[in-house]
């Protein structure tokens, strides 16, 4: 038994800091979302709104004149920086390092973005104003989904956990590209040029094997400020800065892994919960059933609940049947279906894209949040119940055949 545990421990070692106990970060997000909804629909609603959307008495950056802006454009840049570090590590030496490892997660993630977007457009596409929200149901929340898996303990095959993690990582790459391409407006060329120059400096530092953290952090802050003023969303600076952090090892230590392990707990247990609390609250009193059942929340919820599972599960099934890629080892089709449903949990990235899709349209943002929360909760409950009913204790798996 001890020999069987060692490979699993080594596989998950790089992400242990991000998913301590698997369930804890996801459970924290559930509690944060509930607290935000309670605050927004109680006597504290005025204070909740004023805290995040009230103008600050003083700010060092005029553009960031509310706490909400500081969280979404500032703190979330650190979250995206951690995402960038994780993506680079996985591509260089992790679960996306070879074409064989990348094949199924990439295919599943792309289908898991396109099908929800298609369902969204089918339901809400009749209103041109709503079309900008097509990417809202295309994202998967890693911490939330892994948290639900964590609640199942060791009943779920390790291959499925790893598959969910890699799909979510590829999903994050897609979400970042979507934000950069589709939610960028009013480009200011001089600031773009300045951003590219600063990025070039960071790339040169990598080439010169600069091995201290402080220079990278200081230059990354300059890059963030330039991108913030360029018209490209400031969080993109976090991703591109992360890609310049060296993976090469000095004295057995990798600067990238050191930064990732240091920042990941802060991202998972502080930054994302703060973002969730600031963005998940929706005052339902002015919306009513008409708003809850409006095309926008229905499109988002349907994209998450139906689109994700259809896109991902169908892709895995077809890829396995035609011999293009093998499904997760040791998992039944019912278990694969359950994990595909969990990919419909779209909390963090979906909320973030919702804010970008409908700037200055508070009602549409709130309707999108209703769809995100409803779709994520339904996906979480459905996925958990199916996996709870279909998974067995790992000791009973020896006699089970692979799904193909």
């Amino acid at each position: 038994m001890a020999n069987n545990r060692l490979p699993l421990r080594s596989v998950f070692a790089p992400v242990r800091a991000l998913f301590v106990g698997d369930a804890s970060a996801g459970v924290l997000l559930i509690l944060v979302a509930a607290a935000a909804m309670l605050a927004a629909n109680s006597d504290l609603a005025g204070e909740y709104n004023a805290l995040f959307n009230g103008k600050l008495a003083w700010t060092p950056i005029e553009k960031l004149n509310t706490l909400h802006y500081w969280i979404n454009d500032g703190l979330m840049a650190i979250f995206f920086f951690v995402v960038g570090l994780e993506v680079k590590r996985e591509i260089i030496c992790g679960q996306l390092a070879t074409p064989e490892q990348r094949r199924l997660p990439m295919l599943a993630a792309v289908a898991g973005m396109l099908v929800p977007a298609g369902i969204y457009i089918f339901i809400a596409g009749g209103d041109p104003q709503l079309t900008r929200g097509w990417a809202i149901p295309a994202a998967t929340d890693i911490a939330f989904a892994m948290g639900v898996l964590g609640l199942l303990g060791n009943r779920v095959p390790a291959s499925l956990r790893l598959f969910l993690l890699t799909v979510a990582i590829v999903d994050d790459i897609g979400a970042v590209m979507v934000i950069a391409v589709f939610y960028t407006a009013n480009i200011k060329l001089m600031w773009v040029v300045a951003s590219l120059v600063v990025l070039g400096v960071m790339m040169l530092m990598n080439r010169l094997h600069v091995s201290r953290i402080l220079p990278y952090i200081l230059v990354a802050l300059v890059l963030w400020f330039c991108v913030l003023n360029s018209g490209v969303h400031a969080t993109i600076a976090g991703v591109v800065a992360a890609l310049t952090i060296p993976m090469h090892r000095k004295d057995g230590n990798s600067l990238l892994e050191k930064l990732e392990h240091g920042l990941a707990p802060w991202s998972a247990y502080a930054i994302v919960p703060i973002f969730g609390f600031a963005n998940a609250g929706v005052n339902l009193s002015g919306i009513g059933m008409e708003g809850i059942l409006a095309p926008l929340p229905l499109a988002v919820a349907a994209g998450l609940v139906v689109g994700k599972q259809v896109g991902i599960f169908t892709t895995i099934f077809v890829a396995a049947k035609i011999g293009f890629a093998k499904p997760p080892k040791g998992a039944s089709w019912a278990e694969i279906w359950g994990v595909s449903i969990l990919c419909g949990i779209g909390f963090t990235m979906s909320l973030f894209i919702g804010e970008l899709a409908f700037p200055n349209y508070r009602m549409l943002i709130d309707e999108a949040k209703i769809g995100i929360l409803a779709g994520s909760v339904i996906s979480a409950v459905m996925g958990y119940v199916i996996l709870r009913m279909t998974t067995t204790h790992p000791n009973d798996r020896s006699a089970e055949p692979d799904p193909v």
Side-chain angles (χ1 to χ4, degrees):
M1 183 63 71
N3 290 336
N4 290 336
R5 288 179 181 173
L6 285 175
L8 181 60
R9 189 177 295 121
S10 64
V11 166
F12 285 103
V15 291
R16 224 178 287 148
L18 186 57
F19 304 115
V20 178
D22 271 352
S24 52
V27 171
L28 178 59
L29 284 185
I30 295 171
L31 296 174
V32 161
M37 288 299 292
L38 285 172
N41 291 277
S42 69
D43 294 339
L44 297 173
E47 288 81 356
Y48 174 83
N49 183 64
L51 173 63
F52 295 112
N53 297 308
K55 293 292 176 65
L56 297 173
W58 178 84
T59 176
I61 301 175
E62 186 179 353
K63 194 173 183 178
L64 306 181
N65 58 2
T66 68
L67 186 57
H68 185 267
Y69 283 136
W70 272 104
I71 292 169
N72 285 29
D73 290 11
L75 271 184
M76 285 301 284
I78 301 173
F79 165 79
F80 278 87
F81 183 74
V82 175
V83 169
L85 293 174
E86 183 182 18
V87 167
K88 181 173 180 177
R89 173 180 51 73
E90 291 290 347
I91 290 175
I92 292 176
C93 64
Q95 300 306 314
L96 300 173
T98 66
E100 292 75 19
Q101 290 174 308
R102 289 193 291 264
R103 190 176 298 161
L104 187 60
M106 287 185 69
L107 197 63
V110 170
M113 296 183 76
L114 292 179
V115 177
I119 289 176
Y120 176 94
I121 293 296
F122 177 78
I123 296 174
D127 186 343
Q129 190 178 30
L130 302 183
T131 305
R132 277 182 56 85
W134 66 269
I136 297 173
T140 295
D141 191 284
I142 300 179
F144 213 141
M146 290 296 290
V148 175
L149 272 190
L151 295 175
L152 293 161
N154 60 359
R155 295 171 61 91
V156 180
S159 61
L160 270 183
R161 292 174 179 270
L162 196 56
F163 175 76
L164 175 60
L165 184 63
T166 50
V167 167
I169 290 168
V170 177
D171 196 293
D172 278 348
I173 298 173
V176 169
M177 293 174 65
V178 165
I179 292 169
V181 175
F182 295 99
Y183 296 109
T184 291
N186 302 320
I187 296 295
K188 297 176 182 176
L189 187 58
M190 286 188 62
W191 282 108
V192 171
V193 172
S195 301
L196 292 174
V197 171
V198 177
L199 179 60
V201 170
M202 294 194 74
M203 294 171 67
L204 181 62
M205 291 165 61
N206 181 303
R207 297 287 294 176
L208 294 175
H209 298 287
V210 174
S211 57
R212 294 176 60 198
I213 291 177
L214 185 60
Y216 285 101
I217 298 300
L218 292 176
V219 180
L221 286 172
V222 176
L223 176 63
W224 169 79
F225 182 77
C226 292
V227 174
L228 175 69
N229 289 283
S230 70
V232 179
H233 199 272
T235 52
I236 299 300
V239 177
V240 296
L243 299 180
T244 68
I245 304 300
M247 185 70 189
H248 55 260
R249 299 176 181 275
K250 183 178 180 181
D251 301 325
N253 296 313
S254 163
L255 183 61
L256 185 146
E257 290 179 335
K258 185 178 180 181
L259 263 175
E260 183 186 1
H261 291 181
L263 290 175
W266 288 100
S267 176
Y269 296 101
I271 293 171
V272 172
I274 290 171
F275 168 83
F277 186 69
N279 288 273
V282 183
N283 191 323
L284 300 176
S285 60
I287 295 177
M289 286 304 296
E290 225 175 84
I292 293 174
L293 299 177
L296 177 55
L298 284 179
V300 172
L304 289 171
V305 177
V306 180
K308 278 290 185 179
Q309 62 175 299
V310 169
I312 293 174
F313 182 80
T314 303
T315 297
I316 299 171
F317 185 81
V318 172
K321 291 303 179 184
I322 66 175
F324 181 77
K326 293 181 179 180
K329 188 177 180 182
S332 69
W333 284 116
E335 292 168 339
I336 293 172
W337 178 40
V339 165
S340 299
I341 294 172
L342 288 185
C343 289
I345 301 173
F347 189 76
T348 307
M349 279 291 196
S350 293
L351 287 174
F352 192 81
I353 293 173
E355 291 280 344
L356 298 179
F358 307 115
N360 304 318
Y361 290 94
R362 195 72 250 165
M363 187 183 73
L364 295 181
I365 292 174
D366 286 345
E367 287 186 2
K369 289 179 183 179
I370 292 170
I372 293 165
L373 294 172
S376 297
V377 169
I378 292 171
S379 296
V381 173
M382 279 183 63
Y384 177 85
V385 170
I386 289 169
L387 288 170
R388 182 72 187 177
M389 293 173 61
T390 59
T391 52
T392 57
H393 192 276
N395 290 339
D396 300 329
R397 292 186 172 278
S398 55
E400 292 184 7
D402 287 349
V404 290

